[in-house]
């Protein structure tokens, strides 16, 4: 496992890149089993590069950039047994050589849900991911469905900028009580940790209601809200169409049930992607190459 820090170090990937099978897994580190599952899935497709970079431009002023957990040594220990070809862990100056440099402005999918509440967030995500794709040169990049809107925004960026890479989304790993694994779960203690499970419970309740035949989006969103009483602040709990993220009135076709809520000191997100037919409801992927 090569440890790469600079743009110049990435030249060491040249022979792997020319094989045309390189797979990139971008992360912000503080790795957990969810990240590791992405690396395992990536490894089934080709040699893997994991990037570890806490990207400052996707944090708004007042968000948790400064206190975001960082532990490169532990991350490397967790990755080593999975055998990735390389870990790319650059400094901020390596990714952002000039102040206020060029940025990528994502399209309409970035305007709703988290995009409406975290100004500039997806601009920062799109900018850093385009840089990582250009620097590493993978054939495939794997992203977690946990960050569903991020997958759809980046899918649009790749399409619109004609980037030569295929994006794949992978399922969300959860704790035994349903809480989606996240580096930010470290902020949760005691009662906050217990209450955090309400996000996944709300999603499962909405799924059961869909399976029972409910198709009115307003009723499903009311149900989500009802199950989120344990959260301190619900930022949104909505049903959206995949891939455009428009708001349907009826629940049909491929849908994203998406929640963002604050519990104690943590801002948590969770979601469920479902294919809703006239009689059948099943788990689905967001992107063409994804596995449900
Ligand atoms: P992050 O380090 O939070 O930026 O996440 C890096 C990648 O891991 C993103 O593609 C996330 O969507 C993905 N990810 C985060 N949490 C999970 C999880 N619980 N299960 C699967 N993938 C995840």
């Amino acid at each position: 496992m090569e440890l790469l820090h600079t743009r110049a170090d990435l030249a060491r990937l040249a022979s792997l890149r020319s094989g045309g099978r390189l797979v990139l897994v971008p992360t912000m580190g503080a790795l957990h089993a969810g990240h590791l599952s992405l690396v395992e899935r990536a490894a089934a497709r080709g040699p893997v590069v994991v990037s570890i970079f806490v990207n400052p431009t996707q944090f708004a002023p007042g968000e948790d950039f400064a206190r975001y957990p960082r532990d490169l040594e532990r991350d490397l220990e967790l990755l080593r047994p999975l055998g990735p070809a390389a870990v790319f862990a650059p400094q901020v100056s390596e990714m952002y050589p000039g102040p206020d440099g060029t940025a990528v402005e994502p399209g309409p999918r970035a305007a709703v849900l988290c995009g409406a509440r975290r100004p500039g967030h997806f601009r920062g995500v799109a900018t850093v991911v385009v840089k990582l794709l250009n620097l590493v040169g993978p054939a495939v990049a794997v992203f977690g469905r946990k960050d569903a809107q991020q997958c759809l925004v980046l899918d649009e960026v790749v399409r619109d900028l004609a980037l030569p890479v295929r994006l794949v989304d992978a399922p969300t790993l959860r704790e035994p009580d349903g809480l989606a694994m996240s580096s930010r779960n470290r902020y949760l203690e005691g009662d906050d940790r217990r209450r955090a499970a309400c996000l996944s419970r709300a999603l499962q309740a909405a799924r059961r209601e869909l399976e029972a035949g409910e198709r009115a989006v307003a009723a499903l969103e009311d149900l989500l809200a009802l199950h989120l009483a344990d959260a301190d602040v619900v930022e949104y709990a909505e049903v959206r169409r995949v891939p455009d993220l428009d708001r349907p009135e009826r629940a049909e076709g491929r849908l994203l049930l998406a929640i963002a809520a604050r519990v104690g000191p943590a801002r948590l997100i969770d979601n469920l992607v479902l294919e809703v037919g006239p009689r059948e409801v099943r788990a689905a992927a967001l992107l063409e190459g994804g596995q449900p």
Side-chain angles (χ1 to χ4, degrees), residues 211-236:
E211 285 166 348
E214 181 62 75
R215 292 292 182 270
V217 164
L220 292 163
E221 291 182 345
D222 285 349
L223 186 76
L224 287 173
L226 195 70
H227 281 81
L228 290 168
D230 259 358
D232 294 315
V233 179
V234 178
E235 289 193 5
Y236 61 77

mmCIF file with all atom_site columns, all heavy atoms in Angstrom, residues 211-236:
data_model
loop_
_atom_site.group_PDB
_atom_site.id
_atom_site.type_symbol
_atom_site.label_atom_id
_atom_site.label_alt_id
_atom_site.label_comp_id
_atom_site.label_asym_id
_atom_site.label_entity_id
_atom_site.label_seq_id
_atom_site.pdbx_PDB_ins_code
_atom_site.Cartn_x
_atom_site.Cartn_y
_atom_site.Cartn_z
_atom_site.occupancy
_atom_site.B_iso_or_equiv
_atom_site.pdbx_formal_charge
_atom_site.auth_seq_id
_atom_site.auth_comp_id
_atom_site.auth_asym_id
_atom_site.auth_atom_id
_atom_site.pdbx_PDB_model_num
ATOM 1   N N   . GLU A 1 211 ? -45.437 -0.026 1.555  1.00 0.00 ? 211 GLU A N   1
ATOM 2   C CA  . GLU A 1 211 ? -45.747 -1.439 1.299  1.00 0.00 ? 211 GLU A CA  1
ATOM 3   C C   . GLU A 1 211 ? -47.212 -1.729 1.574  1.00 0.00 ? 211 GLU A C   1
ATOM 4   O O   . GLU A 1 211 ? -47.811 -2.606 0.952  1.00 0.00 ? 211 GLU A O   1
ATOM 5   C CB  . GLU A 1 211 ? -44.843 -2.345 2.148  1.00 0.00 ? 211 GLU A CB  1
ATOM 6   C CG  . GLU A 1 211 ? -43.424 -2.401 1.590  1.00 0.00 ? 211 GLU A CG  1
ATOM 7   C CD  . GLU A 1 211 ? -42.395 -2.996 2.552  1.00 0.00 ? 211 GLU A CD  1
ATOM 8   O OE1 . GLU A 1 211 ? -42.713 -3.158 3.754  1.00 0.00 ? 211 GLU A OE1 1
ATOM 9   O OE2 . GLU A 1 211 ? -41.274 -3.245 2.102  1.00 0.00 ? 211 GLU A OE2 1
ATOM 10  N N   . ALA A 1 212 ? -47.803 -0.949 2.485  1.00 0.00 ? 212 ALA A N   1
ATOM 11  C CA  . ALA A 1 212 ? -49.229 -1.125 2.797  1.00 0.00 ? 212 ALA A CA  1
ATOM 12  C C   . ALA A 1 212 ? -50.105 -0.415 1.764  1.00 0.00 ? 212 ALA A C   1
ATOM 13  O O   . ALA A 1 212 ? -51.339 -0.460 1.859  1.00 0.00 ? 212 ALA A O   1
ATOM 14  C CB  . ALA A 1 212 ? -49.521 -0.600 4.202  1.00 0.00 ? 212 ALA A CB  1
ATOM 15  N N   . GLY A 1 213 ? -49.475 0.289  0.788  1.00 0.00 ? 213 GLY A N   1
ATOM 16  C CA  . GLY A 1 213 ? -50.262 0.867  -0.303 1.00 0.00 ? 213 GLY A CA  1
ATOM 17  C C   . GLY A 1 213 ? -50.353 2.385  -0.317 1.00 0.00 ? 213 GLY A C   1
ATOM 18  O O   . GLY A 1 213 ? -50.914 2.961  -1.250 1.00 0.00 ? 213 GLY A O   1
ATOM 19  N N   . GLU A 1 214 ? -49.832 3.070  0.699  1.00 0.00 ? 214 GLU A N   1
ATOM 20  C CA  . GLU A 1 214 ? -49.892 4.540  0.715  1.00 0.00 ? 214 GLU A CA  1
ATOM 21  C C   . GLU A 1 214 ? -49.061 5.112  -0.438 1.00 0.00 ? 214 GLU A C   1
ATOM 22  O O   . GLU A 1 214 ? -47.916 4.710  -0.631 1.00 0.00 ? 214 GLU A O   1
ATOM 23  C CB  . GLU A 1 214 ? -49.352 5.062  2.053  1.00 0.00 ? 214 GLU A CB  1
ATOM 24  C CG  . GLU A 1 214 ? -49.388 6.570  2.207  1.00 0.00 ? 214 GLU A CG  1
ATOM 25  C CD  . GLU A 1 214 ? -50.803 7.141  2.156  1.00 0.00 ? 214 GLU A CD  1
ATOM 26  O OE1 . GLU A 1 214 ? -51.535 7.000  3.156  1.00 0.00 ? 214 GLU A OE1 1
ATOM 27  O OE2 . GLU A 1 214 ? -51.157 7.709  1.098  1.00 0.00 ? 214 GLU A OE2 1
ATOM 28  N N   . ARG A 1 215 ? -49.631 6.041  -1.214 1.00 0.00 ? 215 ARG A N   1
ATOM 29  C CA  . ARG A 1 215 ? -48.888 6.636  -2.319 1.00 0.00 ? 215 ARG A CA  1
ATOM 30  C C   . ARG A 1 215 ? -48.909 8.168  -2.266 1.00 0.00 ? 215 ARG A C   1
ATOM 31  O O   . ARG A 1 215 ? -48.328 8.821  -3.132 1.00 0.00 ? 215 ARG A O   1
ATOM 32  C CB  . ARG A 1 215 ? -49.454 6.168  -3.679 1.00 0.00 ? 215 ARG A CB  1
ATOM 33  C CG  . ARG A 1 215 ? -49.235 4.685  -3.970 1.00 0.00 ? 215 ARG A CG  1
ATOM 34  C CD  . ARG A 1 215 ? -47.765 4.362  -4.181 1.00 0.00 ? 215 ARG A CD  1
ATOM 35  N NE  . ARG A 1 215 ? -47.532 2.955  -4.505 1.00 0.00 ? 215 ARG A NE  1
ATOM 36  C CZ  . ARG A 1 215 ? -47.318 2.000  -3.612 1.00 0.00 ? 215 ARG A CZ  1
ATOM 37  N NH1 . ARG A 1 215 ? -47.322 2.298  -2.305 1.00 0.00 ? 215 ARG A NH1 1
ATOM 38  N NH2 . ARG A 1 215 ? -47.098 0.760  -3.978 1.00 0.00 ? 215 ARG A NH2 1
ATOM 39  N N   . ALA A 1 216 ? -49.574 8.741  -1.278 1.00 0.00 ? 216 ALA A N   1
ATOM 40  C CA  . ALA A 1 216 ? -49.622 10.209 -1.180 1.00 0.00 ? 216 ALA A CA  1
ATOM 41  C C   . ALA A 1 216 ? -48.343 10.692 -0.491 1.00 0.00 ? 216 ALA A C   1
ATOM 42  O O   . ALA A 1 216 ? -48.063 10.335 0.660  1.00 0.00 ? 216 ALA A O   1
ATOM 43  C CB  . ALA A 1 216 ? -50.848 10.651 -0.399 1.00 0.00 ? 216 ALA A CB  1
ATOM 44  N N   . VAL A 1 217 ? -47.560 11.511 -1.209 1.00 0.00 ? 217 VAL A N   1
ATOM 45  C CA  . VAL A 1 217 ? -46.289 11.969 -0.656 1.00 0.00 ? 217 VAL A CA  1
ATOM 46  C C   . VAL A 1 217 ? -46.505 12.781 0.621  1.00 0.00 ? 217 VAL A C   1
ATOM 47  O O   . VAL A 1 217 ? -45.743 12.652 1.591  1.00 0.00 ? 217 VAL A O   1
ATOM 48  C CB  . VAL A 1 217 ? -45.505 12.767 -1.728 1.00 0.00 ? 217 VAL A CB  1
ATOM 49  C CG1 . VAL A 1 217 ? -44.386 13.582 -1.108 1.00 0.00 ? 217 VAL A CG1 1
ATOM 50  C CG2 . VAL A 1 217 ? -44.948 11.800 -2.781 1.00 0.00 ? 217 VAL A CG2 1
ATOM 51  N N   . ALA A 1 218 ? -47.553 13.591 0.650  1.00 0.00 ? 218 ALA A N   1
ATOM 52  C CA  . ALA A 1 218 ? -47.805 14.423 1.842  1.00 0.00 ? 218 ALA A CA  1
ATOM 53  C C   . ALA A 1 218 ? -48.009 13.539 3.081  1.00 0.00 ? 218 ALA A C   1
ATOM 54  O O   . ALA A 1 218 ? -47.477 13.830 4.166  1.00 0.00 ? 218 ALA A O   1
ATOM 55  C CB  . ALA A 1 218 ? -49.006 15.323 1.621  1.00 0.00 ? 218 ALA A CB  1
ATOM 56  N N   . ALA A 1 219 ? -48.742 12.438 2.910  1.00 0.00 ? 219 ALA A N   1
ATOM 57  C CA  . ALA A 1 219 ? -48.996 11.527 4.044  1.00 0.00 ? 219 ALA A CA  1
ATOM 58  C C   . ALA A 1 219 ? -47.693 10.855 4.481  1.00 0.00 ? 219 ALA A C   1
ATOM 59  O O   . ALA A 1 219 ? -47.434 10.684 5.684  1.00 0.00 ? 219 ALA A O   1
ATOM 60  C CB  . ALA A 1 219 ? -50.031 10.471 3.648  1.00 0.00 ? 219 ALA A CB  1
ATOM 61  N N   . LEU A 1 220 ? -46.848 10.492 3.504  1.00 0.00 ? 220 LEU A N   1
ATOM 62  C CA  . LEU A 1 220 ? -45.572 9.840  3.842  1.00 0.00 ? 220 LEU A CA  1
ATOM 63  C C   . LEU A 1 220 ? -44.645 10.814 4.572  1.00 0.00 ? 220 LEU A C   1
ATOM 64  O O   . LEU A 1 220 ? -43.964 10.446 5.531  1.00 0.00 ? 220 LEU A O   1
ATOM 65  C CB  . LEU A 1 220 ? -44.897 9.319  2.567  1.00 0.00 ? 220 LEU A CB  1
ATOM 66  C CG  . LEU A 1 220 ? -45.638 8.158  1.891  1.00 0.00 ? 220 LEU A CG  1
ATOM 67  C CD1 . LEU A 1 220 ? -45.165 7.967  0.454  1.00 0.00 ? 220 LEU A CD1 1
ATOM 68  C CD2 . LEU A 1 220 ? -45.445 6.864  2.684  1.00 0.00 ? 220 LEU A CD2 1
ATOM 69  N N   . GLU A 1 221 ? -44.649 12.063 4.132  1.00 0.00 ? 221 GLU A N   1
ATOM 70  C CA  . GLU A 1 221 ? -43.786 13.052 4.795  1.00 0.00 ? 221 GLU A CA  1
ATOM 71  C C   . GLU A 1 221 ? -44.300 13.368 6.204  1.00 0.00 ? 221 GLU A C   1
ATOM 72  O O   . GLU A 1 221 ? -43.503 13.577 7.133  1.00 0.00 ? 221 GLU A O   1
ATOM 73  C CB  . GLU A 1 221 ? -43.676 14.312 3.938  1.00 0.00 ? 221 GLU A CB  1
ATOM 74  C CG  . GLU A 1 221 ? -42.874 14.026 2.654  1.00 0.00 ? 221 GLU A CG  1
ATOM 75  C CD  . GLU A 1 221 ? -42.664 15.244 1.766  1.00 0.00 ? 221 GLU A CD  1
ATOM 76  O OE1 . GLU A 1 221 ? -43.368 16.267 1.975  1.00 0.00 ? 221 GLU A OE1 1
ATOM 77  O OE2 . GLU A 1 221 ? -41.811 15.170 0.870  1.00 0.00 ? 221 GLU A OE2 1
ATOM 78  N N   . ASP A 1 222 ? -45.633 13.364 6.384  1.00 0.00 ? 222 ASP A N   1
ATOM 79  C CA  . ASP A 1 222 ? -46.191 13.545 7.737  1.00 0.00 ? 222 ASP A CA  1
ATOM 80  C C   . ASP A 1 222 ? -45.722 12.418 8.650  1.00 0.00 ? 222 ASP A C   1
ATOM 81  O O   . ASP A 1 222 ? -45.382 12.639 9.819  1.00 0.00 ? 222 ASP A O   1
ATOM 82  C CB  . ASP A 1 222 ? -47.730 13.550 7.698  1.00 0.00 ? 222 ASP A CB  1
ATOM 83  C CG  . ASP A 1 222 ? -48.266 14.865 7.138  1.00 0.00 ? 222 ASP A CG  1
ATOM 84  O OD1 . ASP A 1 222 ? -47.463 15.815 6.993  1.00 0.00 ? 222 ASP A OD1 1
ATOM 85  O OD2 . ASP A 1 222 ? -49.471 14.922 6.826  1.00 0.00 ? 222 ASP A OD2 1
ATOM 86  N N   . LEU A 1 223 ? -45.719 11.209 8.103  1.00 0.00 ? 223 LEU A N   1
ATOM 87  C CA  . LEU A 1 223 ? -45.308 10.045 8.890  1.00 0.00 ? 223 LEU A CA  1
ATOM 88  C C   . LEU A 1 223 ? -43.824 10.146 9.282  1.00 0.00 ? 223 LEU A C   1
ATOM 89  O O   . LEU A 1 223 ? -43.452 9.847  10.419 1.00 0.00 ? 223 LEU A O   1
ATOM 90  C CB  . LEU A 1 223 ? -45.558 8.770  8.082  1.00 0.00 ? 223 LEU A CB  1
ATOM 91  C CG  . LEU A 1 223 ? -45.317 7.484  8.841  1.00 0.00 ? 223 LEU A CG  1
ATOM 92  C CD1 . LEU A 1 223 ? -46.457 7.202  9.803  1.00 0.00 ? 223 LEU A CD1 1
ATOM 93  C CD2 . LEU A 1 223 ? -45.148 6.309  7.882  1.00 0.00 ? 223 LEU A CD2 1
ATOM 94  N N   . LEU A 1 224 ? -42.992 10.566 8.333  1.00 0.00 ? 224 LEU A N   1
ATOM 95  C CA  . LEU A 1 224 ? -41.566 10.756 8.644  1.00 0.00 ? 224 LEU A CA  1
ATOM 96  C C   . LEU A 1 224 ? -41.431 11.739 9.812  1.00 0.00 ? 224 LEU A C   1
ATOM 97  O O   . LEU A 1 224 ? -40.717 11.477 10.785 1.00 0.00 ? 224 LEU A O   1
ATOM 98  C CB  . LEU A 1 224 ? -40.813 11.299 7.425  1.00 0.00 ? 224 LEU A CB  1
ATOM 99  C CG  . LEU A 1 224 ? -40.559 10.343 6.258  1.00 0.00 ? 224 LEU A CG  1
ATOM 100 C CD1 . LEU A 1 224 ? -39.948 11.105 5.074  1.00 0.00 ? 224 LEU A CD1 1
ATOM 101 C CD2 . LEU A 1 224 ? -39.646 9.192  6.665  1.00 0.00 ? 224 LEU A CD2 1
ATOM 102 N N   . ALA A 1 225 ? -42.141 12.863 9.706  1.00 0.00 ? 225 ALA A N   1
ATOM 103 C CA  . ALA A 1 225 ? -42.043 13.907 10.740 1.00 0.00 ? 225 ALA A CA  1
ATOM 104 C C   . ALA A 1 225 ? -42.479 13.357 12.099 1.00 0.00 ? 225 ALA A C   1
ATOM 105 O O   . ALA A 1 225 ? -41.852 13.628 13.134 1.00 0.00 ? 225 ALA A O   1
ATOM 106 C CB  . ALA A 1 225 ? -42.888 15.109 10.344 1.00 0.00 ? 225 ALA A CB  1
ATOM 107 N N   . LEU A 1 226 ? -43.552 12.566 12.079 1.00 0.00 ? 226 LEU A N   1
ATOM 108 C CA  . LEU A 1 226 ? -44.082 12.000 13.323 1.00 0.00 ? 226 LEU A CA  1
ATOM 109 C C   . LEU A 1 226 ? -43.030 11.144 14.038 1.00 0.00 ? 226 LEU A C   1
ATOM 110 O O   . LEU A 1 226 ? -42.902 11.198 15.266 1.00 0.00 ? 226 LEU A O   1
ATOM 111 C CB  . LEU A 1 226 ? -45.279 11.118 12.955 1.00 0.00 ? 226 LEU A CB  1
ATOM 112 C CG  . LEU A 1 226 ? -46.222 10.695 14.043 1.00 0.00 ? 226 LEU A CG  1
ATOM 113 C CD1 . LEU A 1 226 ? -47.013 11.912 14.519 1.00 0.00 ? 226 LEU A CD1 1
ATOM 114 C CD2 . LEU A 1 226 ? -47.194 9.623  13.516 1.00 0.00 ? 226 LEU A CD2 1
ATOM 115 N N   . HIS A 1 227 ? -42.263 10.383 13.258 1.00 0.00 ? 227 HIS A N   1
ATOM 116 C CA  . HIS A 1 227 ? -41.263 9.487  13.847 1.00 0.00 ? 227 HIS A CA  1
ATOM 117 C C   . HIS A 1 227 ? -39.967 10.202 14.212 1.00 0.00 ? 227 HIS A C   1
ATOM 118 O O   . HIS A 1 227 ? -39.054 9.582  14.730 1.00 0.00 ? 227 HIS A O   1
ATOM 119 C CB  . HIS A 1 227 ? -40.967 8.322  12.899 1.00 0.00 ? 227 HIS A CB  1
ATOM 120 C CG  . HIS A 1 227 ? -42.023 7.265  12.963 1.00 0.00 ? 227 HIS A CG  1
ATOM 121 N ND1 . HIS A 1 227 ? -43.217 7.358  12.290 1.00 0.00 ? 227 HIS A ND1 1
ATOM 122 C CD2 . HIS A 1 227 ? -42.075 6.100  13.662 1.00 0.00 ? 227 HIS A CD2 1
ATOM 123 C CE1 . HIS A 1 227 ? -43.943 6.297  12.553 1.00 0.00 ? 227 HIS A CE1 1
ATOM 124 N NE2 . HIS A 1 227 ? -43.281 5.519  13.385 1.00 0.00 ? 227 HIS A NE2 1
ATOM 125 N N   . LEU A 1 228 ? -39.902 11.502 13.894 1.00 0.00 ? 228 LEU A N   1
ATOM 126 C CA  . LEU A 1 228 ? -38.670 12.247 14.188 1.00 0.00 ? 228 LEU A CA  1
ATOM 127 C C   . LEU A 1 228 ? -38.817 13.121 15.434 1.00 0.00 ? 228 LEU A C   1
ATOM 128 O O   . LEU A 1 228 ? -38.011 14.028 15.659 1.00 0.00 ? 228 LEU A O   1
ATOM 129 C CB  . LEU A 1 228 ? -38.277 13.093 12.971 1.00 0.00 ? 228 LEU A CB  1
ATOM 130 C CG  . LEU A 1 228 ? -37.790 12.253 11.781 1.00 0.00 ? 228 LEU A CG  1
ATOM 131 C CD1 . LEU A 1 228 ? -37.690 13.105 10.518 1.00 0.00 ? 228 LEU A CD1 1
ATOM 132 C CD2 . LEU A 1 228 ? -36.435 11.601 12.097 1.00 0.00 ? 228 LEU A CD2 1
ATOM 133 N N   . ALA A 1 229 ? -39.839 12.813 16.243 1.00 0.00 ? 229 ALA A N   1
ATOM 134 C CA  . ALA A 1 229 ? -40.080 13.624 17.444 1.00 0.00 ? 229 ALA A CA  1
ATOM 135 C C   . ALA A 1 229 ? -38.881 13.629 18.386 1.00 0.00 ? 229 ALA A C   1
ATOM 136 O O   . ALA A 1 229 ? -38.681 14.579 19.145 1.00 0.00 ? 229 ALA A O   1
ATOM 137 C CB  . ALA A 1 229 ? -41.326 13.111 18.162 1.00 0.00 ? 229 ALA A CB  1
ATOM 138 N N   . ASP A 1 230 ? -38.050 12.587 18.324 1.00 0.00 ? 230 ASP A N   1
ATOM 139 C CA  . ASP A 1 230 ? -36.879 12.474 19.206 1.00 0.00 ? 230 ASP A CA  1
ATOM 140 C C   . ASP A 1 230 ? -35.709 13.363 18.773 1.00 0.00 ? 230 ASP A C   1
ATOM 141 O O   . ASP A 1 230 ? -34.751 13.530 19.521 1.00 0.00 ? 230 ASP A O   1
ATOM 142 C CB  . ASP A 1 230 ? -36.386 11.021 19.228 1.00 0.00 ? 230 ASP A CB  1
ATOM 143 C CG  . ASP A 1 230 ? -36.846 10.300 20.491 1.00 0.00 ? 230 ASP A CG  1
ATOM 144 O OD1 . ASP A 1 230 ? -37.505 10.942 21.331 1.00 0.00 ? 230 ASP A OD1 1
ATOM 145 O OD2 . ASP A 1 230 ? -36.536 9.099  20.628 1.00 0.00 ? 230 ASP A OD2 1
ATOM 146 N N   . ALA A 1 231 ? -35.771 13.882 17.550 1.00 0.00 ? 231 ALA A N   1
ATOM 147 C CA  . ALA A 1 231 ? -34.674 14.747 17.079 1.00 0.00 ? 231 ALA A CA  1
ATOM 148 C C   . ALA A 1 231 ? -34.861 16.149 17.655 1.00 0.00 ? 231 ALA A C   1
ATOM 149 O O   . ALA A 1 231 ? -35.979 16.557 17.979 1.00 0.00 ? 231 ALA A O   1
ATOM 150 C CB  . ALA A 1 231 ? -34.674 14.803 15.559 1.00 0.00 ? 231 ALA A CB  1
ATOM 151 N N   . ASP A 1 232 ? -33.756 16.903 17.788 1.00 0.00 ? 232 ASP A N   1
ATOM 152 C CA  . ASP A 1 232 ? -33.872 18.271 18.314 1.00 0.00 ? 232 ASP A CA  1
ATOM 153 C C   . ASP A 1 232 ? -34.408 19.226 17.254 1.00 0.00 ? 232 ASP A C   1
ATOM 154 O O   . ASP A 1 232 ? -35.257 20.066 17.542 1.00 0.00 ? 232 ASP A O   1
ATOM 155 C CB  . ASP A 1 232 ? -32.506 18.737 18.828 1.00 0.00 ? 232 ASP A CB  1
ATOM 156 C CG  . ASP A 1 232 ? -32.073 17.917 20.033 1.00 0.00 ? 232 ASP A CG  1
ATOM 157 O OD1 . ASP A 1 232 ? -32.923 17.703 20.928 1.00 0.00 ? 232 ASP A OD1 1
ATOM 158 O OD2 . ASP A 1 232 ? -30.922 17.453 20.066 1.00 0.00 ? 232 ASP A OD2 1
ATOM 159 N N   . VAL A 1 233 ? -33.889 19.107 16.036 1.00 0.00 ? 233 VAL A N   1
ATOM 160 C CA  . VAL A 1 233 ? -34.367 19.943 14.919 1.00 0.00 ? 233 VAL A CA  1
ATOM 161 C C   . VAL A 1 233 ? -34.429 19.060 13.680 1.00 0.00 ? 233 VAL A C   1
ATOM 162 O O   . VAL A 1 233 ? -33.461 18.368 13.371 1.00 0.00 ? 233 VAL A O   1
ATOM 163 C CB  . VAL A 1 233 ? -33.378 21.105 14.622 1.00 0.00 ? 233 VAL A CB  1
ATOM 164 C CG1 . VAL A 1 233 ? -33.889 21.946 13.456 1.00 0.00 ? 233 VAL A CG1 1
ATOM 165 C CG2 . VAL A 1 233 ? -33.133 21.949 15.849 1.00 0.00 ? 233 VAL A CG2 1
ATOM 166 N N   . VAL A 1 234 ? -35.569 19.089 13.001 1.00 0.00 ? 234 VAL A N   1
ATOM 167 C CA  . VAL A 1 234 ? -35.655 18.380 11.721 1.00 0.00 ? 234 VAL A CA  1
ATOM 168 C C   . VAL A 1 234 ? -35.444 19.411 10.613 1.00 0.00 ? 234 VAL A C   1
ATOM 169 O O   . VAL A 1 234 ? -36.243 20.334 10.464 1.00 0.00 ? 234 VAL A O   1
ATOM 170 C CB  . VAL A 1 234 ? -37.015 17.673 11.559 1.00 0.00 ? 234 VAL A CB  1
ATOM 171 C CG1 . VAL A 1 234 ? -37.099 16.981 10.198 1.00 0.00 ? 234 VAL A CG1 1
ATOM 172 C CG2 . VAL A 1 234 ? -37.225 16.674 12.685 1.00 0.00 ? 234 VAL A CG2 1
ATOM 173 N N   . GLU A 1 235 ? -34.355 19.273 9.868  1.00 0.00 ? 235 GLU A N   1
ATOM 174 C CA  . GLU A 1 235 ? -34.100 20.232 8.772  1.00 0.00 ? 235 GLU A CA  1
ATOM 175 C C   . GLU A 1 235 ? -34.975 19.920 7.570  1.00 0.00 ? 235 GLU A C   1
ATOM 176 O O   . GLU A 1 235 ? -35.528 20.800 6.943  1.00 0.00 ? 235 GLU A O   1
ATOM 177 C CB  . GLU A 1 235 ? -32.622 20.218 8.384  1.00 0.00 ? 235 GLU A CB  1
ATOM 178 C CG  . GLU A 1 235 ? -31.745 20.841 9.453  1.00 0.00 ? 235 GLU A CG  1
ATOM 179 C CD  . GLU A 1 235 ? -30.345 21.119 8.937  1.00 0.00 ? 235 GLU A CD  1
ATOM 180 O OE1 . GLU A 1 235 ? -30.050 20.923 7.742  1.00 0.00 ? 235 GLU A OE1 1
ATOM 181 O OE2 . GLU A 1 235 ? -29.514 21.550 9.764  1.00 0.00 ? 235 GLU A OE2 1
ATOM 182 N N   . TYR A 1 236 ? -35.055 18.647 7.231  1.00 0.00 ? 236 TYR A N   1
ATOM 183 C CA  . TYR A 1 236 ? -36.023 18.222 6.203  1.00 0.00 ? 236 TYR A CA  1
ATOM 184 C C   . TYR A 1 236 ? -36.288 16.736 6.361  1.00 0.00 ? 236 TYR A C   1
ATOM 185 O O   . TYR A 1 236 ? -35.462 15.990 6.909  1.00 0.00 ? 236 TYR A O   1
ATOM 186 C CB  . TYR A 1 236 ? -35.537 18.562 4.780  1.00 0.00 ? 236 TYR A CB  1
ATOM 187 C CG  . TYR A 1 236 ? -34.235 17.911 4.374  1.00 0.00 ? 236 TYR A CG  1
ATOM 188 C CD1 . TYR A 1 236 ? -34.169 16.576 3.993  1.00 0.00 ? 236 TYR A CD1 1
ATOM 189 C CD2 . TYR A 1 236 ? -33.062 18.646 4.334  1.00 0.00 ? 236 TYR A CD2 1
ATOM 190 C CE1 . TYR A 1 236 ? -32.974 15.986 3.606  1.00 0.00 ? 236 TYR A CE1 1
ATOM 191 C CE2 . TYR A 1 236 ? -31.852 18.064 3.959  1.00 0.00 ? 236 TYR A CE2 1
ATOM 192 C CZ  . TYR A 1 236 ? -31.820 16.729 3.596  1.00 0.00 ? 236 TYR A CZ  1
ATOM 193 O OH  . TYR A 1 236 ? -30.634 16.155 3.229  1.00 0.00 ? 236 TYR A OH  1
#
